[in-house]
Amino acid sequence: MQTEHPHAANGTVTNLEAAVLQRYGNAAEEVEACLCLPVSYDKALLKVIPGEIMEKDYGCGDPSRHIRGGETVLDLGSGSGKACYIISQIVGAEGRVIGVDFNPPMLALARKYQKSIGDNLGFHNVDFRRGKIQDLRTNLELVDRYLAEHPVHSVADLAALEEFEQRIRREQPLIADESIDVIVSNCVLNLVRPEDKRQLFAEMYRVLKRGGRIAISDIVSDEAVPEHLANDPDLWSACISGAFQEEGFLRAFEDAKFHGIQIDELSSKAYQTVEGIEFRAVTVTAYKGKEGPCIERNHAVIYRGPWKQVVDDDGHTLERGARMAVCDKTFKLYSQAPYAEQFILVPPRKEVALENAGVFDCSRDHKRHPRETKGMEYNVTKISGAVCGPDSNCCP
């Protein structure tokens, strides 16, 4: 079913959000092949998913590869629910999956098979909620129920509606603060209006637990998208003209205070090419939890290589093979994913108690003298005796 997209009289877009809502509402009822890229999933995880969901799934990657058992996962723009049902099996009965989508027909499709899929798996751990992914506080189904009982006919009615929305955002948020282990999304962030994208990243950061992470598949462009393409509702709703420019996509995560930001996958083949601008699929992973004071506890790390030096997100240069001074917080971060394999950790010979620790001087020369780690008074002499064993050829 083809329907017109909202335009102003001069041909410019009046409401990109309405264009997206309309197109994906139609796509929930009638398959639109041009809204997706071929993606290989674990076939064993697809067996319980009905064909109607499979054929009306639209995406460009598989962020479910980054999920572990027992986790609470949030899928932004969950659509037909395919990713949620795949992840449901990965996290298992001890885990939980929440899908958020703005489109009622898509939510209806996802919920249609919710009970039967759960019955087949032997557990029910999936929940679908209606909301905008850039506003994870407002439960739009609660707003719909309120409006059904309290239609807006006056300014006073509008003020009452706004008061209700503020209250539910505060008391019954769609997604609570720091409640999510992992956020996934599949080709949806680009559909958010430009003026809402900063809030989108802030909301992702808000709902993640400290130490939580994201695995986001989306479309990026190799060049900046000009205004006349960005204003085309067909290109926008087709996951093209709303795409982030490659560098800008990573910078958006950085600006939102994520760390350990990595390109997990970048397609070599363009999804679409428009006026010489190439649009391709990317999957990015990143982490939350870098905040906190810089405490001096005499820790050091040694960057393994292969680069001569690297610069971290805080502007610290880490030289290959050198003992670099780091604060207690950074030492703990570098002992975990995604950094752990890149560093040799050098803890102090004697642990400095937190109550005795001072403030780490972030402006200092970041090389750590071995005496700082061993202790300035360390004066032990140890000379090895014979170390050759039977049949050893290590000694003359």
Side-chain angles (χ1 to χ4, degrees):
M1 178 175 67
Q2 295 294 321
T3 54
E4 293 183 1
H5 292 287
H7 289 73
N10 61 3
T12 61
V13 182
T14 59
N15 194 335
L16 292 171
E17 195 171 80
V20 172
L21 190 63
Q22 187 171 318
R23 185 165 190 167
Y24 281 83
N26 294 340
E29 299 172 1
E30 192 171 313
V31 177
E32 186 172 349
C34 65
L35 287 179
C36 64
L37 283 168
V39 178
S40 296
Y41 296 93
D42 183 341
K43 292 182 180 179
L45 300 176
L46 301 178
K47 291 179 180 179
V48 300
I49 302 177
E52 186 179 11
I53 287 179
M54 296 282 290
E55 67 186 10
K56 293 173 182 175
D57 171 64
Y58 307 106
C60 58
D62 179 19
S64 69
R65 299 186 290 111
H66 300 273
I67 305 304
R68 299 189 289 263
E71 294 183 315
T72 297
V73 180
L74 172 63
D75 182 9
L76 298 180
S78 51
S80 70
K82 177 181 174 181
C84 289
Y85 292 125
I86 290 173
I87 294 169
S88 164
Q89 299 169 74
I90 298 172
V91 300
E94 300 301 315
R96 186 182 181 200
V97 185
I98 303 170
V100 171
D101 205 282
F102 181 48
N103 198 298
M106 280 294 184
L107 283 169
L109 173 58
R111 288 168 171 165
K112 180 178 178 180
Y113 299 97
Q114 189 171 354
K115 185 179 185 304
S116 61
I117 292 175
D119 288 346
N120 286 337
L121 292 175
F123 53 84
H124 295 263
N125 62 354
V126 180
D127 180 22
F128 294 103
R129 304 176 186 178
R130 185 171 184 233
K132 295 182 180 181
I133 63 173
Q134 66 270 34
D135 177 12
L136 295 173
R137 291 187 186 275
T138 305
N139 186 327
L140 292 180
E141 287 177 321
L142 293 182
V143 175
D144 278 343
R145 290 176 203 164
Y146 176 89
L147 287 171
E149 297 175 4
H150 308 87
V152 174
H153 298 298
S154 66
V155 172
D157 292 340
L158 181 60
L161 171 62
E162 292 172 348
E163 182 180 348
F164 172 79
E165 289 179 337
Q166 290 174 5
R167 187 171 72 254
I168 63 170
R169 283 168 56 83
R170 183 177 62 253
E171 299 175 1
Q172 298 174 269
L174 185 72
I175 307 294
D177 294 1
E178 299 188 344
S179 60
I180 303 298
D181 293 309
V182 193
I183 295 174
V184 299
S185 185
N186 197 346
C187 207
V188 175
L189 270 58
N190 68 86
L191 296 173
V192 173
R193 298 181 305 179
E195 60 267 32
D196 293 335
K197 279 178 173 162
R198 182 176 292 274
Q199 180 184 348
L200 164 65
F201 283 82
E203 280 290 85
M204 285 193 282
Y205 200 83
R206 175 184 69 81
V207 302
L208 272 180
K209 298 175 183 177
R210 184 176 180 86
R213 64 195 188 280
I214 60 96
I216 305 294
S217 296
D218 220 283
I219 298 295
V220 292
S221 62
D222 62 348
E223 301 178 50
V225 178
E227 187 175 355
H228 71 279
L229 293 182
N231 285 337
D232 186 314
D234 293 299
L235 291 177
W236 190 281
S237 59
C239 300
I240 298 175
S241 60
F244 289 84
Q245 198 272 337
E246 291 166 349
E247 294 178 36
F249 192 46
L250 298 181
R251 193 176 305 116
F253 290 105
E254 186 177 338
D255 291 345
K257 301 187 290 186
F258 286 94
H259 69 90
I261 304 162
Q262 293 188 110
I263 297 176
D264 182 71
E265 187 175 356
L266 179 64
S267 177
S268 59
K269 183 179 179 181
Y271 159 59
Q272 299 281 2
T273 302
V274 182
E275 296 184 6
I277 302 172
E278 294 183 340
F279 299 84
R280 51 177 40 85
V282 66
T283 298
V284 171
T285 56
Y287 296 75
K288 173 181 175 176
K290 195 173 68 171
E291 300 90 345
C294 292
I295 299 172
E296 174 63 279
R297 299 182 76 191
N298 296 337
H299 291 105
V301 296
I302 300 173
Y303 170 56
R304 294 178 182 272
W307 308 110
K308 183 176 182 179
Q309 61 182 31
V310 293
V311 180
D312 70 10
D313 287 337
D314 295 316
H316 302 146
T317 300
L318 302 159
E319 299 179 19
R320 181 178 55 205
R323 291 171 181 252
M324 307 303 294
V326 292
C327 69
D328 181 62
K329 174 187 66 177
T330 301
F331 185 82
K332 291 175 181 175
L333 284 177
Y334 287 174
S335 70
Q336 303 166 1
Y339 310 105
E341 295 182 1
Q342 301 179 43
F343 293 98
I344 298 167
L345 303 174
V346 186
R349 188 176 66 88
K350 289 186 177 180
E351 183 175 301
V352 178
L354 281 173
E355 59 267 25
N356 298 328
V359 176
F360 182 83
D361 182 3
C362 293
S363 65
R364 62 167 284 174
D365 168 30
H366 278 272
K367 286 189 178 179
R368 174 83 77 189
H369 193 284
R371 286 281 175 179
E372 290 184 79
T373 301
K374 293 186 296 185
M376 299 305 292
E377 304 302 320
Y378 187 71
N379 193 29
V380 173
T381 299
K382 289 185 179 180
I383 300 175
S384 300
V387 293
C388 296
D391 303 320
S392 171
N393 61 359
C394 68
C395 299

